[in-house]
Amino acid sequence: MHDFRVRDGQLHCEAVPVLEAAERFGTPLYLYSHHTLIDHFRKLRAAFAPVTPLICFAMKANSNLAICRALIREGAGADIVSVGELRKALLVGAPPSRIVYASVGKTAAEITAAVRAGIFCFNVESAPELEQIDLACRRLKTRQRVSLRLNPNVDPHTHTFISTGRGTDKFGLDEATVLRLFADSARYAGVDLAGVHIHIGSQITAPGPFLAALHKALTVIRRANRRGARIRWLNLGGGLGIVYHREKPQTAAAFAKVVLPLLKGRGLRLILEPGRFIVGNSGILVTRVVYIKDTGAKRFAIVDAGMNDLLRPTLYGAYHDIVPVAPKPGQTAKTQRYDVVGPICESGDRFAADRPLPPLAPGDLLAVMGAGAYGFAMASNYNARPRAAEALVMGRRIHLVRRRETFQDLVRGERIPAALR
Ligand code: LLP
């Protein structure tokens, strides 16, 4: 499942002791396994091989250039949500013909930039957005492929903040609007309205919600085609759940096994937009214990990473395994309960509550597992903390893929006006 394993009593990333990486680059440190990353991509590709889908990596999960480059080199495309991601995708050599662009709030400038770049398609989330794309294309005297994002009104049974396909969520278009826009496609000379997109949420572990959404999408496609549309592709979005704790998510193969028969004979090209499934378990956050504080009520392990480095536990109450990197001999024997907390001035700055861990001491290294997706990507400079370094292990070698930020990075762009001097 991933290439972070305890060998000779020490946590390794592929062939590299995590301790060695932490000593070389300092902590907090994001450490990625190239093999795990590629392996997950290949598993998905193999599962869907009979229909050779376009697999667009959701860059929002992790847009480090090295991570994206590794996937593009494997033949992935990119699922983007901003011009920043567009430019990063192009920088790492993503062919524009493999880029799809979602987001409820694409501005006119962003739309123009993506049309100019020649992306494969936009996933359109509102009627005014469609008009904006149409306008941009007519101005640029070009035509752009477009998918309509259907909101299938399905509850994905995941955290409410990452549920996107319920009728009350801001994403996508209701069925009636989708059908109306397809029926009116002649009005939009600048766009080739030829795809349907769904993405109902993230970290979905059961097949039920995916299937319910897929059935709705197929029904809408059938209805639209009956009324004259010519829908040529279906984008199933991302959302495949991974193991953080005790989840039993469907495998890529099991997912393909239920999806593929439903697509048979429909002449639809398949697009997938996974983020977490590919990169989630490919990364860890390495952090060092600074102090131990026992208050009687709680035993705190205060570490040098904070919610600014990894927001998921604070924002979603997300569970991440925490593993000692280099336990001393005998240290693993008996456990104690710790709240593993960061240095940030908020009580929510906590990676784990009452977590059984071997007795910890200042200086000990811990690995927060499953931090490859939405980890560094959601990091901030809160509390004026420079963002962590990122390193990528490829077999026996470690490559620094983002240097740790410095104080200069923190103040770059800020100015004190003359009036205050
Ligand atoms: N496609 C669209 C349109 C999306 O909005 C997303 C994720 C994906 C694909 C990729 O989903 P994935 O395969 O990674 O589940 N920060 C949250 C997750 C937010 C997901 C946002 N959209 C977290 O840390 O759990």
Side-chain angles (χ1 to χ4, degrees):
M1 202 174 56
H2 60 68
D3 293 83
F4 296 92
R5 289 199 199 93
V6 177
R7 243 189 302 125
D8 307 326
Q10 278 214 31
L11 184 66
H12 284 66
C13 174
E14 301 188 16
V16 174
V18 172
L19 175 70
E20 189 184 311
E23 279 173 354
R24 185 154 155 209
F25 300 118
T27 54
L29 171 72
Y30 274 96
L31 191 63
Y32 304 107
S33 154
H34 178 262
H35 183 258
T36 310
L37 179 76
I38 298 307
D39 190 48
H40 281 97
F41 175 74
R42 289 186 181 161
K43 275 194 179 120
L44 198 60
R45 186 171 58 190
F48 283 91
V51 297
T52 47
L54 172 59
I55 303 178
C56 294
F57 171 59
M59 286 178 66
K60 63 177 83 62
N62 190 324
S63 67
N64 181 283
L65 295 177
I67 297 285
C68 296
R69 174 65 197 156
L71 292 167
I72 296 300
R73 212 171 60 150
E74 273 293 305
D79 162 38
I80 61 165
V81 288
S82 68
V83 164
E85 287 186 355
L86 171 65
R87 294 184 62 179
K88 287 183 104 172
L90 297 174
L91 192 63
V92 298
S97 61
R98 292 185 181 195
I99 297 178
V100 297
Y101 190 163
S103 155
V104 292
K106 307 171 190 86
T107 63
E110 288 180 308
I111 288 169
T112 302
V115 172
R116 282 218 168 100
I119 64 165
F120 179 71
C121 90
F122 287 96
N123 296 327
V124 167
E125 311 226 16
S126 66
E129 180 196 328
L130 182 62
E131 305 213 339
Q132 188 63 55
I133 295 172
D134 182 50
L135 185 71
C137 292
R138 284 192 282 153
R139 276 198 191 129
L140 294 170
K141 301 203 180 344
T142 180
R143 198 145 182 267
Q144 173 67 55
R145 276 175 299 264
V146 153
S147 289
L148 296 182
R149 177 169 180 177
L150 170 71
N151 180 323
N153 194 16
V154 166
D155 188 338
H157 301 299
T158 181
H159 194 285
T160 184
F161 290 0
I162 53 175
S163 298
T164 55
R166 302 166 301 189
T168 47
D169 295 321
K170 69 177 174 179
F171 300 95
L173 298 150
D174 60 278
E175 172 176 346
T177 308
V178 168
L179 289 174
R180 177 170 61 76
L181 293 175
F182 273 122
D184 285 354
S185 61
R187 272 186 47 202
Y188 308 102
V191 302
D192 172 12
L193 249 167
V196 166
H197 172 230
I198 46 175
H199 172 79
I200 57 171
S202 201
Q203 184 56 15
I204 303 168
T205 48
F210 283 116
L211 287 182
L214 174 55
H215 279 295
K216 287 220 172 160
L218 292 173
T219 305
V220 169
I221 290 173
R222 204 167 348 128
R223 286 190 182 143
N225 282 341
R226 229 185 278 137
R227 296 175 199 181
R230 273 199 54 245
I231 297 171
R232 310 194 296 277
W233 67 88
L234 172 61
N235 182 334
L236 281 186
L240 283 171
I242 63 168
V243 180
Y244 286 105
H245 191 202
R246 297 205 181 105
E247 299 91 341
K248 296 219 161 30
Q250 55 195 330
T251 61
F255 183 53
K257 208 169 156 187
V258 291
V259 166
L260 289 180
L262 295 171
L263 299 180
K264 224 174 190 149
R266 291 179 194 265
L268 288 168
R269 180 167 182 213
L270 182 65
I271 303 175
L272 299 168
E273 294 173 346
R276 191 190 314 266
F277 179 86
I278 292 175
V279 75
N281 281 326
S282 318
I284 62 174
L285 173 62
V286 189
T287 182
R288 201 179 277 281
V289 176
V290 183
Y291 297 113
I292 301 293
K293 178 160 87 171
D294 197 334
T295 65
K298 283 271 188 188
R299 189 181 292 115
F300 293 101
I302 302 165
V303 299
D304 66 359
M307 61 187 269
N308 72 297
D309 298 300
L310 177 67
L311 186 58
R312 302 194 70 257
T314 307
L315 190 57
Y316 315 112
Y319 181 100
H320 286 261
D321 245 349
I322 298 182
V323 175
V325 166
K328 295 166 208 81
Q331 194 186 9
T332 40
K334 64 171 189 340
T335 60
Q336 297 179 318
R337 290 193 178 265
Y338 290 92
D339 272 24
V340 181
V341 300
I344 304 269
C345 306
E346 299 213 24
S347 294
D349 179 27
R350 183 174 68 185
F351 293 121
D354 299 318
R355 185 72 60 88
L357 285 165
L360 297 173
D364 286 354
L365 288 169
L366 296 174
V368 183
M369 307 302 290
Y374 309 105
F376 188 92
M378 293 173 77
S380 77
N381 292 122
Y382 188 37
N383 279 205
R385 287 166 53 84
R387 282 179 296 172
E390 295 178 282
L392 176 68
V393 171
M394 297 174 79
R396 292 180 186 287
R397 306 205 51 189
I398 325 177
H399 306 273
L400 184 66
V401 294
R402 193 179 209 276
R403 65 160 173 76
R404 185 174 304 286
E405 286 182 342
T406 62
F407 176 70
Q408 286 313 316
D409 294 319
L410 288 183
V411 294
R412 175 181 305 139
E414 295 185 28
R415 294 283 176 278
I416 299 173
L420 288 176
R421 280 186 198 134

